[in-house]
Amino acid sequence: LSTGVPLARQQQDLAKMMKLLPPKPEPPSDGDCCLSGCEFCVWDLYDEDMREYQKQAGIVRKAFEDQGKEVPEHLRPENIRDSVDPTMRAFLDMEREMAMRIQQEEEENDKSDN
């Protein structure tokens, strides 16, 4: 598999990508959420951070795959999933979907008002 880029340069690029990858976010502790429906809940922030991490880890993983290199264990799909309880994951997904619907409705209302 030749990309036209010298092997040493490819390895340097992979090493640089690994250094730029942020650490995997940790879910909030049990006492971090007040369960009062805050607009910016710690779980929402974690979810955003985790989605960004998964996106960046996917880019790095693809670079390894494209170069025919073994993907590091911590970048494999099964290891970049979040570690959120399935019930909490369903709740977070529902809240995000509701927020997106509200935003869409507001945008539609803004368009019809103009």
Side-chain angles (χ1 to χ4, degrees):
L1 178 68
S2 175
T3 61
V5 177
L7 181 60
R9 175 60 190 252
Q10 290 177 14
Q11 291 172 337
Q12 286 176 343
D13 291 346
L14 289 176
K16 183 186 274 187
M17 290 178 85
M18 291 291 291
K19 286 180 183 177
L20 294 175
L21 182 66
K24 182 177 177 181
E26 292 291 326
S29 300
D30 290 339
D32 289 345
C33 178
C34 64
L35 300 173
S36 65
C38 299
E39 184 176 354
F40 298 105
C41 178
V42 293
W43 283 104
D44 294 330
L45 299 174
Y46 166 74
D47 193 47
E48 288 175 21
D49 290 347
M50 193 64 198
R51 287 178 186 278
E52 182 60 27
Y53 172 79
Q54 290 169 331
K55 178 181 166 187
Q56 295 299 322
I59 292 169
V60 176
R61 181 178 65 246
K62 184 170 180 349
F64 272 89
E65 291 169 348
D66 288 350
Q67 293 183 26
K69 303 287 184 188
E70 183 177 348
V71 175
E73 186 74 25
H74 70 283
L75 293 178
R76 295 189 179 148
E78 65 272 14
N79 295 327
I80 63 169
R81 292 188 190 114
D82 62 29
S83 55
V84 175
D85 172 76
T87 305
M88 181 57 82
R89 168 57 44 220
F91 175 74
L92 292 170
D93 291 344
M94 180 191 68
E95 277 211 325
R96 185 175 45 263
E97 185 177 319
M98 287 174 43
M100 288 171 41
R101 284 184 186 171
I102 290 169
Q103 183 179 6
Q104 286 175 345
E105 289 174 7
E106 289 174 351
E107 289 172 359
E108 289 172 6
N109 288 339
D110 288 346
K111 287 180 184 176
S112 65
D113 289 343
N114 292 333

